Amino acid sequence: MDRNDENDGQSARIPQQRSSVPSFLFLIFMLFILTNHTGDEFLARNHYQDALQSLNYQLSNFTAWLNGTESNFTMPDRNAAATPLVGSFMSFGSRLNPQWASYFSNVTGFAHGEIDFFNITPPSLGSATYSWRTHAETFMGDTNMTDLTGHFGSWNWTGSDKISWSIMDRAPISVKGVTEKIAMVHGRIDVRHPATSDDMKLDFEGVHFLANGSIYGFAEPTGRHIDIRYIPAFVPEAFQNDTARTIEPELMSRINKVKDMIDAGVIDQDSSNGESQGGCGFSVYAQIAPSEIPAKYMEDLEDELQKPTGRWTVKRPPLKLNGVLLSRECGILYNLHDAEGLRSQLFFRKVATYAGISALVYLVQLLLLSRQVDRSRTPAGLSRVSLWTFLTQSIVDSVSFAGHITFAIIANGRPSLSLVAPAFVACVLFAFESQHAILINQVQAPEDAVAPPPPRPVQQEPSLPPQAVPTPMTAPPRSTGPTFLSLLFRHIRSDPQARIWLGMFFFLTFIVRVIVTPSLALVFVASMYSLFWLPQIIRSVKKGRSSALTAEYMIGTSLCRLFHALYFLTCPKNVLDVEPRRWVWYLAMFIFLQVAVILLQQRFGPAFFLPKRFARAQVHDYHPALPISAADPEAPDESLGDCAICMEAIHTEDEKQLEHVTGGLLRNVGARRSYSLAPCQHLFHTECLEKWLAIKNICPHCRRPLPPL
């Protein structure tokens, strides 16, 4: 067999490198399998069946109680001390003259306000000097302190200082025998603690009296059932019958809703969680502040807000709320004062505005990135930029994409579609930055790798006459195929892109788990934003050459990056209601300080800010003084040797060559010569080596990495 045939056979048996796309798709499929829990739907369906049976039982007993027939339902006794105790902190509304003032007829939206904590347990009231102390003692009565302490749980109720109230106000319905306009309201109350990032979530159910702007209801920890049949027990006695008759059609509406969801197969898994978090239940008393706008104009404003037509309306008045959260089972009283409300429609417009501006900012970033990539796409340019600069930005954009998508899912309404725009542009930006980071890694990997030392000459020992060595008879080895794990491990080791995708997958999985914690999210923002340009400064100092990043890209990208950080951490009325942080201004100053250092490095040198003893970067000299004796002494002309690329002679004082190389640039510069000696001791024409380094940064002869020329 010919030797060439043997070589062809061996090369044919070498497996080709597989693409990393199947590995990436396989990882995504495994993630879907691990996170897809189909058993929850079965549990949710059983939960709905139980809820339907319970609602039917509640409705039948409540209807019998309203009609005065035999029933298993009993309305609890009214606590006479609750009304004067609540009245010590807030004033209930009264009927207004519709020609001069009015209340908000629909408070659907979000309210945020500060709360004051009061301990109304008997031991604490013993030494208190409050004016309402007598009412609190009467309200608490002979409370068992042992049971009271058991309701507290692990939540720090004393340190809570703010609440966020999400309210859904339904339109009032006409009920026979009811003279008052009463609307059913429900929602959620989040009690916040300043020292921790956790919130105590309370489900809310209540009624809204449109005539005087008063709201009464129950707030229970998530998972604990709220029986709306007990709401008439603590509304004003004059409205007790009307409230009870309003509860009956609400129960019927909920029964029909559950039936429709079961028939349609629509399962809301969030509402099927029946596990209670424990904690304290509250009676909620709230009062809407009146506005100095006639009722007719207020109705026009509400109609325009629900169905915009562009007609003129009065200026929207601020929505203010005051209230009291009272818990007898825990001995807690929260006083809510001057809470600001935001209607849902206005919130949707605010979210859409934010989404539009955010998408525009990401488009500007994408344009700046594309211009920078076009200017530094050569190996010489890619070797002068930091891999971590683009990798850090790609991580931030991936988290931003996940955050906007999550926000769109949670919004679950008209703003959801608008939030897809910034999420999509952030995803595209992440893909471009990741691709550019991979390209930078491919170019810089040979340069950053430690070159192996040249092989030492091996002295051959005198050969001995061959002797016949008996070969022991052994059984042929048993052929065993490679396992799946070994093949996977071998594929990951041989494919650089597979390693990058796998590392990014695990890192992003960790980031998604961490980012849901607000305190860790702030640490993530501060750390990632601090690492945008710092790796570039370090690389420039280490390699002894300035960066290839333009001032347009660095300044524009910094401004665009800081838009989101400054919006959420400085604007007190941002869409996510994030508390302002003063340290974000120092973060912005630190980012622009890094940009200034990089620009000064391009002007005064990479290590201008370091002492001279630390500013000595190892830079290879491609143009050392070479003696003519190194060339062939029998050559007709004096030359240094032949170029390893074009294989032509290299002359030190060739005027024609100096004029030809880069259009006479070498003659004008004067510092560079016509020859270049690589670290591997291979000699080239400077012109040939420049053209070669524009394609690859390895020696064309021995394939060793070459530093920039």
Side-chain angles (χ1 to χ4, degrees):
M1 180 182 294
D2 190 49
R3 179 173 297 180
N4 295 331
D5 295 337
E6 293 179 1
N7 295 335
D8 294 342
Q10 292 178 359
S11 61
R13 289 192 296 269
I14 298 177
Q16 296 183 356
Q17 194 177 47
R18 297 179 61 184
S19 174
S20 61
V21 175
S23 302
F24 176 71
L25 295 178
F26 174 76
L27 292 175
I28 294 298
F29 174 75
M30 293 301 297
L31 180 63
F32 172 78
I33 294 298
L34 293 175
T35 57
N36 185 27
H37 304 287
T38 56
D40 292 344
E41 297 183 1
F42 176 76
L43 297 176
R45 186 177 298 276
N46 290 338
H47 172 77
Y48 277 158
Q49 295 287 351
D50 296 339
L52 179 61
Q53 183 179 0
S54 177
L55 286 174
N56 284 321
Y57 179 78
Q58 293 178 13
L59 178 61
S60 60
N61 284 278
F62 189 70
T63 303
W65 177 81
L66 284 177
N67 297 331
T69 59
E70 183 179 358
S71 172
N72 292 329
F73 173 76
T74 302
M75 186 68 68
D77 296 333
R78 181 186 304 271
N79 194 325
T83 301
L85 177 59
V86 174
S88 302
F89 294 91
M90 56 171 285
S91 300
F92 291 98
S94 59
R95 296 180 181 271
L96 303 175
N97 187 347
Q99 296 181 356
W100 300 101
S102 61
Y103 294 102
F104 279 89
S105 60
N106 191 338
V107 292
T108 299
F110 309 91
H112 308 277
E114 298 181 354
I115 55 177
D116 298 327
F117 169 80
F118 295 95
N119 189 345
I120 59 174
T121 57
S124 178
L125 291 174
S127 59
T129 59
Y130 301 125
S131 59
W132 42 266
R133 171 185 171 183
T134 304
H135 302 309
E137 291 176 344
T138 306
F139 175 76
M140 294 300 297
D142 53 349
T143 305
N144 190 335
M145 289 300 300
T146 303
D147 296 339
L148 186 144
T149 306
H151 290 297
F152 274 100
S154 59
W155 177 258
N156 186 7
W157 298 95
T158 61
S160 303
D161 61 348
K162 292 184 179 180
I163 68 169
S164 176
W165 193 354
S166 174
I167 311 173
M168 179 66 68
D169 199 343
R170 298 183 181 179
I173 59 176
S174 300
V175 181
K176 184 178 180 181
V178 177
T179 58
E180 293 290 336
K181 286 187 176 182
I182 304 176
M184 299 297 302
V185 292
H186 66 278
R188 191 179 69 182
I189 299 176
D190 296 338
V191 183
R192 301 184 178 181
H193 193 282
T196 62
S197 58
D198 298 330
D199 298 342
M200 172 56 71
K201 303 182 184 302
L202 305 173
D203 293 333
F204 170 75
E205 296 283 353
V207 292
H208 174 203
F209 294 94
L210 276 62
N212 57 4
S214 299
I215 298 177
Y216 302 86
F218 293 123
E220 297 286 349
T222 301
R224 187 185 297 182
H225 175 67
I226 300 178
D227 197 341
I228 62 175
R229 299 178 299 173
Y230 296 149
I231 294 179
F234 71 103
V235 301
E237 194 170 356
F239 302 133
Q240 183 173 2
N241 293 334
D242 290 346
T243 304
R245 295 189 180 277
T246 306
I247 297 296
E248 184 180 12
E250 174 66 18
L251 289 174
M252 297 177 62
S253 175
R254 296 187 179 188
I255 291 175
N256 295 331
K257 179 181 178 181
V258 174
K259 287 181 178 180
D260 294 340
M261 295 181 69
I262 294 177
D263 295 339
V266 179
I267 302 299
D268 185 7
Q269 297 183 12
D270 293 337
S271 63
S272 64
N273 184 14
E275 298 182 359
S276 174
Q277 297 180 352
C280 304
F282 292 87
S283 300
V284 181
Y285 304 82
Q287 178 61 45
I288 304 172
S291 63
E292 298 180 354
I293 296 178
K296 182 179 181 304
Y297 292 151
M298 185 65 78
E299 292 177 0
D300 294 340
L301 178 62
E302 181 67 25
D303 294 339
E304 181 65 19
L305 191 62
Q306 295 290 342
K307 299 178 181 179
T309 59
R311 62 176 179 174
W312 176 88
T313 58
V314 295
K315 184 179 179 180
R316 180 180 57 86
L319 177 58
K320 298 287 186 179
L321 286 173
N322 294 303
V324 172
L325 280 71
L326 190 59
S327 176
R328 189 175 185 274
E329 62 179 346
C330 292
I332 295 176
L333 187 148
Y334 284 128
N335 180 26
L336 173 64
H337 50 84
D338 297 330
E340 296 183 2
L342 180 65
R343 295 294 306 277
S344 296
Q345 289 76 8
L346 299 177
F347 174 74
F348 294 159
R349 296 178 187 177
K350 187 176 181 179
V351 172
T353 303
Y354 159 76
I357 298 177
S358 180
L360 182 61
V361 170
Y362 279 122
L363 285 175
V364 173
Q365 287 182 239
L366 190 60
L367 177 62
L368 293 173
L369 177 63
S370 62
R371 291 170 62 90
Q372 175 62 40
V373 170
D374 291 338
R375 294 173 181 174
S376 61
R377 64 171 55 253
T378 62
L382 293 175
S383 63
R384 295 168 55 195
V385 296
S386 174
L387 166 68
W388 295 102
T389 294
F390 292 92
L391 191 61
T392 303
Q393 296 188 60
S394 66
I395 294 173
V396 173
D397 290 328
S398 64
V399 175
S400 177
F401 162 73
H404 282 91
I405 288 296
T406 304
F407 191 12
I409 295 174
I410 294 175
N412 192 21
R414 286 177 289 181
S416 299
L417 186 61
S418 61
L419 289 169
V420 174
F424 173 76
V425 184
C427 182
V428 174
L429 190 61
F430 160 72
F432 272 87
E433 288 168 342
S434 301
Q435 183 181 9
H436 193 57
I438 293 175
L439 184 60
I440 294 174
N441 180 65
Q442 293 176 353
V443 172
Q444 295 182 358
E447 177 184 349
D448 297 336
V450 178
R456 297 180 179 180
V458 180
Q459 298 181 357
Q460 296 182 356
E461 299 180 354
S463 59
L464 299 176
Q467 298 180 0
V469 178
T471 304
M473 299 297 294
T474 58
R478 184 178 180 181
S479 60
T480 57
T483 61
F484 172 76
L485 293 178
S486 62
L487 289 176
L488 180 62
F489 181 72
R490 187 184 307 171
H491 175 71
I492 294 175
R493 289 188 58 186
S494 61
D495 192 349
Q497 293 187 3
R499 293 196 300 269
I500 293 177
W501 281 113
L502 184 62
M504 189 172 298
F505 165 75
F506 285 110
F507 184 77
L508 292 181
T509 303
F510 172 76
I511 288 298
V512 169
R513 296 295 183 184
V514 170
I515 206 67
V516 296
T517 306
S519 59
L520 295 180
L522 296 178
V523 175
F524 170 80
V525 170
S527 58
M528 291 293 103
Y529 273 61
S530 301
L531 295 177
F532 280 161
W533 312 116
L534 190 59
Q536 181 62 57
I537 298 175
I538 297 175
R539 180 172 180 83
S540 297
V541 174
K542 183 179 178 181
K543 297 299 181 180
R545 55 183 183 270
S546 59
S547 69
L549 301 177
T550 62
E552 173 193 77
Y553 173 74
M554 291 187 294
I555 297 176
T557 301
S558 299
L559 291 174
C560 293
R561 294 290 181 188
L562 286 173
F563 163 76
H564 295 89
L566 294 177
Y567 172 72
F568 286 109
L569 297 179
T570 61
C571 180
K573 296 184 179 180
N574 56 79
V575 293
L576 295 181
D577 194 33
V578 180
E579 293 292 332
R581 302 293 195 278
R582 294 183 58 183
W583 55 262
V584 71
W585 295 109
Y586 299 102
L587 178 63
M589 294 172 59
F590 182 64
I591 291 176
F592 280 105
L593 177 62
Q594 297 177 45
V595 175
V597 171
I598 295 176
L599 295 178
L600 292 176
Q601 283 180 322
Q602 297 175 357
R603 183 175 181 86
F604 300 106
F608 75 95
F609 56 92
L610 294 177
K612 292 184 178 180
R613 57 177 179 175
F614 300 109
R616 297 177 181 177
Q618 297 181 357
V619 180
H620 177 71
D621 183 14
Y622 274 95
H623 314 291
L626 298 178
I628 300 300
S629 59
D632 187 5
E634 299 181 358
D637 53 349
E638 295 181 349
S639 65
L640 298 176
D642 296 337
C643 175
I645 296 178
C646 66
M647 306 304 294
E648 295 183 359
I650 301 176
H651 303 277
T652 57
E653 300 293 341
D654 192 345
E655 296 292 333
K656 181 178 179 181
Q657 188 181 29
L658 289 176
E659 184 68 27
H660 175 68
V661 172
T662 63
L665 179 62
L666 295 181
R667 169 184 288 180
N668 298 331
V669 174
R672 301 176 63 185
R673 304 184 182 182
S674 60
Y675 65 87
S676 295
L677 183 64
C680 54
Q681 303 302 314
H682 289 117
L683 197 62
F684 308 93
H685 284 121
T686 301
E687 177 193 13
C688 298
L689 186 59
E690 281 183 338
K691 293 180 179 180
W692 174 260
L693 290 178
I695 302 174
K696 292 184 178 181
N697 59 344
I698 57 177
C699 177
H701 191 74
C702 63
R703 316 300 291 178
R704 293 188 179 183
L706 296 178
L709 182 61

